Amino acid sequence: MNKLTIDEVSLQNKRVLMRVDFNVPLDGGKVTDDTRIRAALPSIHKVLKSGGKLILMSHLGRPKGQRAEKYSLKPAAEQLSQLLGKSVTLAPDCVGTETEDLVGKMQNGDVVVLENLRFHAEEEANDAEFARKLAALADVYINDAFGAAHRAHASTEGVTHIISQSAAGYLMEKELRSLGTLLADPARPFIAIIGGAKISGKIDVIRNLLPRVDAILVGGGMVYTFLRSKGVETGKSLVEEDKMSVAQAVYDFLGSVQNRNNAELVLPDDHVVAASIDAAAGKNVEEIPADLLGVDIGPKAIARYQGLIASARTIFWNGPMGVFENGAFAKGTMSVAAAVAKATDNGGFSVVGGGDSVSALMKSGLSGHISHISTGGGASLEFMSGKALPGVEALTPAS
Ligand code: AMP
């Protein structure tokens, strides 16, 4: 890690402004999944143990620059208070005199959660004056919000121009180390499993991974654009007509001398097809009929993917294998989840990147059998695409 980390800054007696990702799901004013809050606890405990004054800031939902009570961080602050077993104060806003006064009265070991950053449009606009107001609350800045690191906002980027010490928290470090291992030094065989709706959402990741992996197993809607680009009948399946050339460029790479690892792009041998994604059941086919659409990978594909996953020593998984929200078409995704968990139990290193693959893992109860589950869907995809994350770039270089 070439950036300053939380272990390298003095926190005692300091006002520590920490960007966290408390963008948690709510129902009736209660947090329904506190994974993201728990993920920030190691850094939170570190500041409190070191005798700092902890000022936490986060966004929640999309209030679009307007104050809206349903996006208040109150439930998150209450949940944090429960987890810490101590009182946590929610500031009335993230900037302004009242908040400044509240922070001015803090004692070492106190915790204040600033109200939702996105109640101000200046946050996402990375407004310099807004960043200055946030930065004025603190002596030291810690960024532990990996899930927001792909955005150059006032709380992730702007403040670092003003606070002289800007360090990565433990969660940020762990995310960068785990994802970084995949790109820099993966044990082989390295298998990536890429699913989801469209090629367009994942092509940058596929392009960046192809020279690094031994195989990419493809699932989800993007299968059909790859098949169609080879002239295969795909019926009513999701096909991105304008992405045919992108699919073709992937095949061109695989057949070229640049494909030094002899990487393979593995498409399903068979499919589950149905009349619609809401159908009660589907049928298994090798050739997709003209009036039906592909909604999951079929049993032969599941068996092949499971075999390949079992042989892998490094695994990266992003995106469902089918329309898994419909239980009738969740088998491919759940089977992949089980295979990744098993390969990890057998000594493999696995990273699951955000979004739907994480919900599938949670549903299957196998999340404890994965080496690293990324807390940032968008951020992990950008990182795996080889792009720099503004929130990481902005941190103080390690001395
Ligand atoms: P993404 O956000 O790109 O990872 O896509 C996730 C979405 O892809 C989920 O909502 C799935 O229902 C959807 N999906 C997966 N397989 C298919 C498919 N065969 N056809 C249409 N949508 C799919």
Side-chain angles (χ1 to χ4, degrees), residues 19-58:
R19 176 60 157 102
V20 286
D21 182 2
F22 283 1
N23 184 25
V24 287
L26 301 176
D27 190 16
K30 292 265 174 266
V31 176
T32 55
D33 178 356
D34 66 356
T35 309
R36 285 180 172 165
I37 301 178
R38 286 174 188 272
L41 287 178
S43 294
I44 289 173
H45 283 305
K46 167 73 179 172
V47 175
L48 298 181
K49 259 197 258 149
S50 308
K53 304 173 177 77
L54 181 60
I55 308 152
L56 296 166
M57 57 176 174
S58 177

PDB file of all heavy atoms in Angstrom, residues 19-58:
ATOM      1  N   ARG A  19     -14.597   9.149   6.800  1.00  0.00           N
ATOM      2  CA  ARG A  19     -15.641   8.868   5.797  1.00  0.00           C
ATOM      3  C   ARG A  19     -15.915   7.379   5.860  1.00  0.00           C
ATOM      4  O   ARG A  19     -15.016   6.549   5.675  1.00  0.00           O
ATOM      5  CB  ARG A  19     -15.149   9.283   4.403  1.00  0.00           C
ATOM      6  CG  ARG A  19     -16.122   8.958   3.246  1.00  0.00           C
ATOM      7  CD  ARG A  19     -17.464   9.644   3.404  1.00  0.00           C
ATOM      8  NE  ARG A  19     -18.183   9.803   2.153  1.00  0.00           N
ATOM      9  CZ  ARG A  19     -19.204   9.036   1.751  1.00  0.00           C
ATOM     10  NH1 ARG A  19     -19.607   8.023   2.492  1.00  0.00           N
ATOM     11  NH2 ARG A  19     -19.825   9.286   0.599  1.00  0.00           N
ATOM     12  N   VAL A  20     -17.165   7.039   6.172  1.00  0.00           N
ATOM     13  CA  VAL A  20     -17.576   5.641   6.197  1.00  0.00           C
ATOM     14  C   VAL A  20     -18.705   5.445   5.186  1.00  0.00           C
ATOM     15  O   VAL A  20     -19.263   6.420   4.674  1.00  0.00           O
ATOM     16  CB  VAL A  20     -18.058   5.226   7.616  1.00  0.00           C
ATOM     17  CG1 VAL A  20     -16.898   5.062   8.565  1.00  0.00           C
ATOM     18  CG2 VAL A  20     -19.092   6.209   8.165  1.00  0.00           C
ATOM     19  N   ASP A  21     -19.012   4.179   4.902  1.00  0.00           N
ATOM     20  CA  ASP A  21     -20.134   3.881   4.008  1.00  0.00           C
ATOM     21  C   ASP A  21     -21.259   3.306   4.860  1.00  0.00           C
ATOM     22  O   ASP A  21     -21.306   2.102   5.102  1.00  0.00           O
ATOM     23  CB  ASP A  21     -19.682   2.895   2.928  1.00  0.00           C
ATOM     24  CG  ASP A  21     -20.803   2.578   1.947  1.00  0.00           C
ATOM     25  OD1 ASP A  21     -21.903   3.158   2.103  1.00  0.00           O
ATOM     26  OD2 ASP A  21     -20.585   1.750   1.045  1.00  0.00           O
ATOM     27  N   PHE A  22     -22.110   4.203   5.372  1.00  0.00           N
ATOM     28  CA  PHE A  22     -23.275   3.779   6.160  1.00  0.00           C
ATOM     29  C   PHE A  22     -24.534   3.838   5.288  1.00  0.00           C
ATOM     30  O   PHE A  22     -25.632   4.080   5.758  1.00  0.00           O
ATOM     31  CB  PHE A  22     -23.460   4.677   7.395  1.00  0.00           C
ATOM     32  CG  PHE A  22     -22.519   4.391   8.540  1.00  0.00           C
ATOM     33  CD1 PHE A  22     -21.552   3.391   8.459  1.00  0.00           C
ATOM     34  CD2 PHE A  22     -22.593   5.123   9.728  1.00  0.00           C
ATOM     35  CE1 PHE A  22     -20.681   3.133   9.522  1.00  0.00           C
ATOM     36  CE2 PHE A  22     -21.734   4.869  10.804  1.00  0.00           C
ATOM     37  CZ  PHE A  22     -20.773   3.873  10.693  1.00  0.00           C
ATOM     38  N   ASN A  23     -24.360   3.610   4.000  1.00  0.00           N
ATOM     39  CA  ASN A  23     -25.489   3.607   3.062  1.00  0.00           C
ATOM     40  C   ASN A  23     -26.196   2.252   3.183  1.00  0.00           C
ATOM     41  O   ASN A  23     -26.076   1.380   2.330  1.00  0.00           O
ATOM     42  CB  ASN A  23     -24.949   3.834   1.650  1.00  0.00           C
ATOM     43  CG  ASN A  23     -26.072   3.946   0.638  1.00  0.00           C
ATOM     44  OD1 ASN A  23     -27.200   4.306   0.967  1.00  0.00           O
ATOM     45  ND2 ASN A  23     -25.760   3.599  -0.604  1.00  0.00           N
ATOM     46  N   VAL A  24     -26.921   2.089   4.294  1.00  0.00           N
ATOM     47  CA  VAL A  24     -27.499   0.786   4.655  1.00  0.00           C
ATOM     48  C   VAL A  24     -28.988   0.725   4.292  1.00  0.00           C
ATOM     49  O   VAL A  24     -29.656   1.748   4.240  1.00  0.00           O
ATOM     50  CB  VAL A  24     -27.339   0.531   6.172  1.00  0.00           C
ATOM     51  CG1 VAL A  24     -25.898   0.227   6.517  1.00  0.00           C
ATOM     52  CG2 VAL A  24     -27.845   1.722   6.996  1.00  0.00           C
ATOM     53  N   PRO A  25     -29.513  -0.492   4.063  1.00  0.00           N
ATOM     54  CA  PRO A  25     -30.954  -0.604   3.797  1.00  0.00           C
ATOM     55  C   PRO A  25     -31.771  -0.358   5.061  1.00  0.00           C
ATOM     56  O   PRO A  25     -31.379  -0.793   6.151  1.00  0.00           O
ATOM     57  CB  PRO A  25     -31.107  -2.052   3.315  1.00  0.00           C
ATOM     58  CG  PRO A  25     -29.899  -2.771   3.788  1.00  0.00           C
ATOM     59  CD  PRO A  25     -28.808  -1.777   3.965  1.00  0.00           C
ATOM     60  N   LEU A  26     -32.885   0.365   4.922  1.00  0.00           N
ATOM     61  CA  LEU A  26     -33.733   0.713   6.067  1.00  0.00           C
ATOM     62  C   LEU A  26     -35.145   0.200   5.835  1.00  0.00           C
ATOM     63  O   LEU A  26     -35.587   0.085   4.696  1.00  0.00           O
ATOM     64  CB  LEU A  26     -33.808   2.236   6.228  1.00  0.00           C
ATOM     65  CG  LEU A  26     -32.518   3.006   6.446  1.00  0.00           C
ATOM     66  CD1 LEU A  26     -32.804   4.502   6.472  1.00  0.00           C
ATOM     67  CD2 LEU A  26     -31.841   2.579   7.741  1.00  0.00           C
ATOM     68  N   ASP A  27     -35.828  -0.067   6.941  1.00  0.00           N
ATOM     69  CA  ASP A  27     -37.257  -0.375   6.856  1.00  0.00           C
ATOM     70  C   ASP A  27     -37.909   0.130   8.138  1.00  0.00           C
ATOM     71  O   ASP A  27     -37.498  -0.273   9.236  1.00  0.00           O
ATOM     72  CB  ASP A  27     -37.460  -1.894   6.691  1.00  0.00           C
ATOM     73  CG  ASP A  27     -38.909  -2.223   6.362  1.00  0.00           C
ATOM     74  OD1 ASP A  27     -39.667  -1.311   5.976  1.00  0.00           O
ATOM     75  OD2 ASP A  27     -39.285  -3.404   6.512  1.00  0.00           O
ATOM     76  N   GLY A  28     -38.859   1.035   7.981  1.00  0.00           N
ATOM     77  CA  GLY A  28     -39.559   1.573   9.146  1.00  0.00           C
ATOM     78  C   GLY A  28     -38.617   2.200  10.160  1.00  0.00           C
ATOM     79  O   GLY A  28     -38.782   1.998  11.370  1.00  0.00           O
ATOM     80  N   GLY A  29     -37.599   2.921   9.682  1.00  0.00           N
ATOM     81  CA  GLY A  29     -36.684   3.612  10.586  1.00  0.00           C
ATOM     82  C   GLY A  29     -35.673   2.704  11.270  1.00  0.00           C
ATOM     83  O   GLY A  29     -34.984   3.113  12.212  1.00  0.00           O
ATOM     84  N   LYS A  30     -35.563   1.459  10.808  1.00  0.00           N
ATOM     85  CA  LYS A  30     -34.574   0.521  11.391  1.00  0.00           C
ATOM     86  C   LYS A  30     -33.646   0.009  10.284  1.00  0.00           C
ATOM     87  O   LYS A  30     -34.063  -0.153   9.148  1.00  0.00           O
ATOM     88  CB  LYS A  30     -35.290  -0.698  12.006  1.00  0.00           C
ATOM     89  CG  LYS A  30     -36.107  -0.390  13.236  1.00  0.00           C
ATOM     90  CD  LYS A  30     -35.287  -0.646  14.510  1.00  0.00           C
ATOM     91  CE  LYS A  30     -35.989  -0.231  15.781  1.00  0.00           C
ATOM     92  NZ  LYS A  30     -35.688   1.108  16.276  1.00  0.00           N
ATOM     93  N   VAL A  31     -32.397  -0.249  10.674  1.00  0.00           N
ATOM     94  CA  VAL A  31     -31.426  -0.803   9.726  1.00  0.00           C
ATOM     95  C   VAL A  31     -31.726  -2.293   9.555  1.00  0.00           C
ATOM     96  O   VAL A  31     -31.781  -3.025  10.546  1.00  0.00           O
ATOM     97  CB  VAL A  31     -29.990  -0.610  10.282  1.00  0.00           C
ATOM     98  CG1 VAL A  31     -28.967  -1.266   9.375  1.00  0.00           C
ATOM     99  CG2 VAL A  31     -29.695   0.877  10.459  1.00  0.00           C
ATOM    100  N   THR A  32     -31.938  -2.729   8.303  1.00  0.00           N
ATOM    101  CA  THR A  32     -32.269  -4.149   8.101  1.00  0.00           C
ATOM    102  C   THR A  32     -31.024  -5.005   7.832  1.00  0.00           C
ATOM    103  O   THR A  32     -31.084  -6.217   7.950  1.00  0.00           O
ATOM    104  CB  THR A  32     -33.265  -4.332   6.930  1.00  0.00           C
ATOM    105  OG1 THR A  32     -32.698  -3.703   5.773  1.00  0.00           O
ATOM    106  CG2 THR A  32     -34.607  -3.709   7.241  1.00  0.00           C
ATOM    107  N   ASP A  33     -29.930  -4.382   7.434  1.00  0.00           N
ATOM    108  CA  ASP A  33     -28.681  -5.129   7.247  1.00  0.00           C
ATOM    109  C   ASP A  33     -27.541  -4.189   7.645  1.00  0.00           C
ATOM    110  O   ASP A  33     -27.289  -3.189   6.961  1.00  0.00           O
ATOM    111  CB  ASP A  33     -28.555  -5.564   5.779  1.00  0.00           C
ATOM    112  CG  ASP A  33     -27.248  -6.297   5.490  1.00  0.00           C
ATOM    113  OD1 ASP A  33     -26.394  -6.398   6.407  1.00  0.00           O
ATOM    114  OD2 ASP A  33     -27.060  -6.754   4.349  1.00  0.00           O
ATOM    115  N   ASP A  34     -26.862  -4.510   8.743  1.00  0.00           N
ATOM    116  CA  ASP A  34     -25.834  -3.584   9.257  1.00  0.00           C
ATOM    117  C   ASP A  34     -24.405  -3.989   8.853  1.00  0.00           C
ATOM    118  O   ASP A  34     -23.438  -3.563   9.467  1.00  0.00           O
ATOM    119  CB  ASP A  34     -25.954  -3.413  10.773  1.00  0.00           C
ATOM    120  CG  ASP A  34     -25.637  -4.693  11.543  1.00  0.00           C
ATOM    121  OD1 ASP A  34     -25.394  -5.736  10.898  1.00  0.00           O
ATOM    122  OD2 ASP A  34     -25.615  -4.643  12.789  1.00  0.00           O
ATOM    123  N   THR A  35     -24.292  -4.821   7.800  1.00  0.00           N
ATOM    124  CA  THR A  35     -22.971  -5.298   7.361  1.00  0.00           C
ATOM    125  C   THR A  35     -21.988  -4.131   7.173  1.00  0.00           C
ATOM    126  O   THR A  35     -20.843  -4.200   7.600  1.00  0.00           O
ATOM    127  CB  THR A  35     -23.088  -6.067   6.022  1.00  0.00           C
ATOM    128  OG1 THR A  35     -24.096  -7.049   6.162  1.00  0.00           O
ATOM    129  CG2 THR A  35     -21.779  -6.718   5.640  1.00  0.00           C
ATOM    130  N   ARG A  36     -22.453  -3.071   6.530  1.00  0.00           N
ATOM    131  CA  ARG A  36     -21.536  -1.958   6.230  1.00  0.00           C
ATOM    132  C   ARG A  36     -21.100  -1.237   7.505  1.00  0.00           C
ATOM    133  O   ARG A  36     -19.966  -0.746   7.575  1.00  0.00           O
ATOM    134  CB  ARG A  36     -22.191  -0.980   5.263  1.00  0.00           C
ATOM    135  CG  ARG A  36     -22.219  -1.544   3.857  1.00  0.00           C
ATOM    136  CD  ARG A  36     -22.870  -0.597   2.901  1.00  0.00           C
ATOM    137  NE  ARG A  36     -22.712  -1.083   1.541  1.00  0.00           N
ATOM    138  CZ  ARG A  36     -23.408  -0.629   0.515  1.00  0.00           C
ATOM    139  NH1 ARG A  36     -24.304   0.326   0.689  1.00  0.00           N
ATOM    140  NH2 ARG A  36     -23.196  -1.110  -0.691  1.00  0.00           N
ATOM    141  N   ILE A  37     -21.992  -1.148   8.479  1.00  0.00           N
ATOM    142  CA  ILE A  37     -21.621  -0.495   9.745  1.00  0.00           C
ATOM    143  C   ILE A  37     -20.594  -1.364  10.469  1.00  0.00           C
ATOM    144  O   ILE A  37     -19.558  -0.876  10.936  1.00  0.00           O
ATOM    145  CB  ILE A  37     -22.871  -0.245  10.625  1.00  0.00           C
ATOM    146  CG1 ILE A  37     -23.871   0.641   9.861  1.00  0.00           C
ATOM    147  CG2 ILE A  37     -22.478   0.392  11.959  1.00  0.00           C
ATOM    148  CD1 ILE A  37     -25.163   0.922  10.607  1.00  0.00           C
ATOM    149  N   ARG A  38     -20.856  -2.667  10.518  1.00  0.00           N
ATOM    150  CA  ARG A  38     -19.910  -3.584  11.167  1.00  0.00           C
ATOM    151  C   ARG A  38     -18.541  -3.543  10.487  1.00  0.00           C
ATOM    152  O   ARG A  38     -17.514  -3.669  11.139  1.00  0.00           O
ATOM    153  CB  ARG A  38     -20.429  -5.028  11.119  1.00  0.00           C
ATOM    154  CG  ARG A  38     -21.564  -5.282  12.068  1.00  0.00           C
ATOM    155  CD  ARG A  38     -22.125  -6.696  11.866  1.00  0.00           C
ATOM    156  NE  ARG A  38     -23.318  -6.878  12.637  1.00  0.00           N
ATOM    157  CZ  ARG A  38     -23.328  -7.298  13.906  1.00  0.00           C
ATOM    158  NH1 ARG A  38     -22.210  -7.616  14.503  1.00  0.00           N
ATOM    159  NH2 ARG A  38     -24.461  -7.418  14.559  1.00  0.00           N
ATOM    160  N   ALA A  39     -18.565  -3.395   9.156  1.00  0.00           N
ATOM    161  CA  ALA A  39     -17.298  -3.407   8.408  1.00  0.00           C
ATOM    162  C   ALA A  39     -16.403  -2.234   8.798  1.00  0.00           C
ATOM    163  O   ALA A  39     -15.181  -2.302   8.644  1.00  0.00           O
ATOM    164  CB  ALA A  39     -17.587  -3.381   6.910  1.00  0.00           C
ATOM    165  N   ALA A  40     -17.000  -1.151   9.314  1.00  0.00           N
ATOM    166  CA  ALA A  40     -16.203   0.024   9.703  1.00  0.00           C
ATOM    167  C   ALA A  40     -15.737  -0.061  11.155  1.00  0.00           C
ATOM    168  O   ALA A  40     -14.944   0.789  11.604  1.00  0.00           O
ATOM    169  CB  ALA A  40     -17.027   1.290   9.488  1.00  0.00           C
ATOM    170  N   LEU A  41     -16.215  -1.071  11.896  1.00  0.00           N
ATOM    171  CA  LEU A  41     -15.902  -1.119  13.335  1.00  0.00           C
ATOM    172  C   LEU A  41     -14.400  -1.183  13.668  1.00  0.00           C
ATOM    173  O   LEU A  41     -13.964  -0.515  14.609  1.00  0.00           O
ATOM    174  CB  LEU A  41     -16.643  -2.287  14.012  1.00  0.00           C
ATOM    175  CG  LEU A  41     -18.157  -2.080  14.195  1.00  0.00           C
ATOM    176  CD1 LEU A  41     -18.796  -3.328  14.822  1.00  0.00           C
ATOM    177  CD2 LEU A  41     -18.454  -0.860  15.067  1.00  0.00           C
ATOM    178  N   PRO A  42     -13.593  -1.957  12.938  1.00  0.00           N
ATOM    179  CA  PRO A  42     -12.169  -1.981  13.307  1.00  0.00           C
ATOM    180  C   PRO A  42     -11.536  -0.580  13.311  1.00  0.00           C
ATOM    181  O   PRO A  42     -10.812  -0.230  14.260  1.00  0.00           O
ATOM    182  CB  PRO A  42     -11.532  -2.889  12.238  1.00  0.00           C
ATOM    183  CG  PRO A  42     -12.653  -3.807  11.842  1.00  0.00           C
ATOM    184  CD  PRO A  42     -13.904  -2.960  11.889  1.00  0.00           C
ATOM    185  N   SER A  43     -11.829   0.239  12.315  1.00  0.00           N
ATOM    186  CA  SER A  43     -11.258   1.596  12.278  1.00  0.00           C
ATOM    187  C   SER A  43     -11.863   2.459  13.385  1.00  0.00           C
ATOM    188  O   SER A  43     -11.188   3.275  14.005  1.00  0.00           O
ATOM    189  CB  SER A  43     -11.523   2.260  10.929  1.00  0.00           C
ATOM    190  OG  SER A  43     -10.829   1.582   9.914  1.00  0.00           O
ATOM    191  N   ILE A  44     -13.146   2.284  13.639  1.00  0.00           N
ATOM    192  CA  ILE A  44     -13.832   3.060  14.687  1.00  0.00           C
ATOM    193  C   ILE A  44     -13.207   2.745  16.051  1.00  0.00           C
ATOM    194  O   ILE A  44     -12.845   3.644  16.821  1.00  0.00           O
ATOM    195  CB  ILE A  44     -15.357   2.753  14.651  1.00  0.00           C
ATOM    196  CG1 ILE A  44     -15.971   3.381  13.393  1.00  0.00           C
ATOM    197  CG2 ILE A  44     -16.054   3.241  15.920  1.00  0.00           C
ATOM    198  CD1 ILE A  44     -17.430   3.030  13.132  1.00  0.00           C
ATOM    199  N   HIS A  45     -13.040   1.451  16.325  1.00  0.00           N
ATOM    200  CA  HIS A  45     -12.427   1.048  17.604  1.00  0.00           C
ATOM    201  C   HIS A  45     -11.014   1.596  17.729  1.00  0.00           C
ATOM    202  O   HIS A  45     -10.589   2.010  18.806  1.00  0.00           O
ATOM    203  CB  HIS A  45     -12.397  -0.478  17.733  1.00  0.00           C
ATOM    204  CG  HIS A  45     -13.730  -1.076  18.089  1.00  0.00           C
ATOM    205  ND1 HIS A  45     -14.445  -0.686  19.199  1.00  0.00           N
ATOM    206  CD2 HIS A  45     -14.490  -2.018  17.481  1.00  0.00           C
ATOM    207  CE1 HIS A  45     -15.588  -1.374  19.260  1.00  0.00           C
ATOM    208  NE2 HIS A  45     -15.636  -2.179  18.215  1.00  0.00           N
ATOM    209  N   LYS A  46     -10.291   1.591  16.637  1.00  0.00           N
ATOM    210  CA  LYS A  46      -8.901   2.074  16.658  1.00  0.00           C
ATOM    211  C   LYS A  46      -8.855   3.542  17.121  1.00  0.00           C
ATOM    212  O   LYS A  46      -8.043   3.920  17.963  1.00  0.00           O
ATOM    213  CB  LYS A  46      -8.296   1.917  15.266  1.00  0.00           C
ATOM    214  CG  LYS A  46      -6.994   2.643  15.034  1.00  0.00           C
ATOM    215  CD  LYS A  46      -5.845   1.963  15.748  1.00  0.00           C
ATOM    216  CE  LYS A  46      -4.536   2.718  15.475  1.00  0.00           C
ATOM    217  NZ  LYS A  46      -3.440   2.207  16.301  1.00  0.00           N
ATOM    218  N   VAL A  47      -9.727   4.370  16.557  1.00  0.00           N
ATOM    219  CA  VAL A  47      -9.735   5.800  16.917  1.00  0.00           C
ATOM    220  C   VAL A  47     -10.123   5.960  18.388  1.00  0.00           C
ATOM    221  O   VAL A  47      -9.501   6.730  19.132  1.00  0.00           O
ATOM    222  CB  VAL A  47     -10.709   6.603  16.012  1.00  0.00           C
ATOM    223  CG1 VAL A  47     -10.802   8.052  16.462  1.00  0.00           C
ATOM    224  CG2 VAL A  47     -10.270   6.519  14.555  1.00  0.00           C
ATOM    225  N   LEU A  48     -11.144   5.202  18.804  1.00  0.00           N
ATOM    226  CA  LEU A  48     -11.613   5.350  20.189  1.00  0.00           C
ATOM    227  C   LEU A  48     -10.551   4.871  21.172  1.00  0.00           C
ATOM    228  O   LEU A  48     -10.288   5.526  22.187  1.00  0.00           O
ATOM    229  CB  LEU A  48     -12.939   4.591  20.381  1.00  0.00           C
ATOM    230  CG  LEU A  48     -14.098   5.108  19.499  1.00  0.00           C
ATOM    231  CD1 LEU A  48     -15.369   4.326  19.752  1.00  0.00           C
ATOM    232  CD2 LEU A  48     -14.337   6.608  19.725  1.00  0.00           C
ATOM    233  N   LYS A  49      -9.907   3.754  20.866  1.00  0.00           N
ATOM    234  CA  LYS A  49      -8.852   3.213  21.758  1.00  0.00           C
ATOM    235  C   LYS A  49      -7.661   4.157  21.826  1.00  0.00           C
ATOM    236  O   LYS A  49      -6.970   4.248  22.829  1.00  0.00           O
ATOM    237  CB  LYS A  49      -8.385   1.838  21.247  1.00  0.00           C
ATOM    238  CG  LYS A  49      -9.004   0.694  22.024  1.00  0.00           C
ATOM    239  CD  LYS A  49      -8.235  -0.595  21.784  1.00  0.00           C
ATOM    240  CE  LYS A  49      -8.986  -1.455  20.795  1.00  0.00           C
ATOM    241  NZ  LYS A  49      -8.238  -2.316  19.942  1.00  0.00           N
ATOM    242  N   SER A  50      -7.421   4.856  20.706  1.00  0.00           N
ATOM    243  CA  SER A  50      -6.258   5.752  20.658  1.00  0.00           C
ATOM    244  C   SER A  50      -6.540   7.099  21.313  1.00  0.00           C
ATOM    245  O   SER A  50      -5.668   7.969  21.344  1.00  0.00           O
ATOM    246  CB  SER A  50      -5.832   5.998  19.204  1.00  0.00           C
ATOM    247  OG  SER A  50      -5.662   4.786  18.538  1.00  0.00           O
ATOM    248  N   GLY A  51      -7.765   7.305  21.788  1.00  0.00           N
ATOM    249  CA  GLY A  51      -8.082   8.567  22.465  1.00  0.00           C
ATOM    250  C   GLY A  51      -8.351   9.720  21.517  1.00  0.00           C
ATOM    251  O   GLY A  51      -8.002  10.869  21.798  1.00  0.00           O
ATOM    252  N   GLY A  52      -8.979   9.433  20.375  1.00  0.00           N
ATOM    253  CA  GLY A  52      -9.359  10.500  19.445  1.00  0.00           C
ATOM    254  C   GLY A  52     -10.830  10.873  19.609  1.00  0.00           C
ATOM    255  O   GLY A  52     -11.580  10.192  20.313  1.00  0.00           O
ATOM    256  N   LYS A  53     -11.208  11.966  18.976  1.00  0.00           N
ATOM    257  CA  LYS A  53     -12.621  12.381  18.919  1.00  0.00           C
ATOM    258  C   LYS A  53     -13.095  11.996  17.527  1.00  0.00           C
ATOM    259  O   LYS A  53     -12.569  12.493  16.528  1.00  0.00           O
ATOM    260  CB  LYS A  53     -12.729  13.900  19.086  1.00  0.00           C
ATOM    261  CG  LYS A  53     -12.075  14.431  20.357  1.00  0.00           C
ATOM    262  CD  LYS A  53     -12.094  15.953  20.347  1.00  0.00           C
ATOM    263  CE  LYS A  53     -11.522  16.547  21.611  1.00  0.00           C
ATOM    264  NZ  LYS A  53     -10.034  16.518  21.686  1.00  0.00           N
ATOM    265  N   LEU A  54     -14.097  11.101  17.468  1.00  0.00           N
ATOM    266  CA  LEU A  54     -14.445  10.513  16.172  1.00  0.00           C
ATOM    267  C   LEU A  54     -15.664  11.175  15.541  1.00  0.00           C
ATOM    268  O   LEU A  54     -16.765  11.142  16.092  1.00  0.00           O
ATOM    269  CB  LEU A  54     -14.698   9.012  16.347  1.00  0.00           C
ATOM    270  CG  LEU A  54     -15.058   8.238  15.089  1.00  0.00           C
ATOM    271  CD1 LEU A  54     -13.947   8.330  14.045  1.00  0.00           C
ATOM    272  CD2 LEU A  54     -15.324   6.776  15.424  1.00  0.00           C
ATOM    273  N   ILE A  55     -15.446  11.758  14.365  1.00  0.00           N
ATOM    274  CA  ILE A  55     -16.535  12.393  13.613  1.00  0.00           C
ATOM    275  C   ILE A  55     -16.755  11.565  12.358  1.00  0.00           C
ATOM    276  O   ILE A  55     -15.891  11.509  11.477  1.00  0.00           O
ATOM    277  CB  ILE A  55     -16.148  13.846  13.221  1.00  0.00           C
ATOM    278  CG1 ILE A  55     -15.690  14.616  14.462  1.00  0.00           C
ATOM    279  CG2 ILE A  55     -17.298  14.551  12.520  1.00  0.00           C
ATOM    280  CD1 ILE A  55     -14.699  15.716  14.161  1.00  0.00           C
ATOM    281  N   LEU A  56     -17.907  10.880  12.281  1.00  0.00           N
ATOM    282  CA  LEU A  56     -18.178  10.002  11.142  1.00  0.00           C
ATOM    283  C   LEU A  56     -19.056  10.720  10.131  1.00  0.00           C
ATOM    284  O   LEU A  56     -19.969  11.462  10.507  1.00  0.00           O
ATOM    285  CB  LEU A  56     -18.890   8.736  11.629  1.00  0.00           C
ATOM    286  CG  LEU A  56     -18.069   7.847  12.568  1.00  0.00           C
ATOM    287  CD1 LEU A  56     -18.964   6.816  13.248  1.00  0.00           C
ATOM    288  CD2 LEU A  56     -16.937   7.151  11.818  1.00  0.00           C
ATOM    289  N   MET A  57     -18.787  10.494   8.855  1.00  0.00           N
ATOM    290  CA  MET A  57     -19.645  11.093   7.820  1.00  0.00           C
ATOM    291  C   MET A  57     -19.916  10.070   6.725  1.00  0.00           C
ATOM    292  O   MET A  57     -19.068   9.233   6.406  1.00  0.00           O
ATOM    293  CB  MET A  57     -19.014  12.360   7.236  1.00  0.00           C
ATOM    294  CG  MET A  57     -17.654  12.177   6.636  1.00  0.00           C
ATOM    295  SD  MET A  57     -17.091  13.726   5.886  1.00  0.00           S
ATOM    296  CE  MET A  57     -15.413  13.280   5.440  1.00  0.00           C
ATOM    297  N   SER A  58     -21.134  10.138   6.162  1.00  0.00           N
ATOM    298  CA  SER A  58     -21.544   9.175   5.138  1.00  0.00           C
ATOM    299  C   SER A  58     -22.684   9.765   4.298  1.00  0.00           C
ATOM    300  O   SER A  58     -23.296  10.754   4.685  1.00  0.00           O
ATOM    301  CB  SER A  58     -22.053   7.894   5.814  1.00  0.00           C
ATOM    302  OG  SER A  58     -22.526   6.964   4.854  1.00  0.00           O
TER     303      SER A  58
END
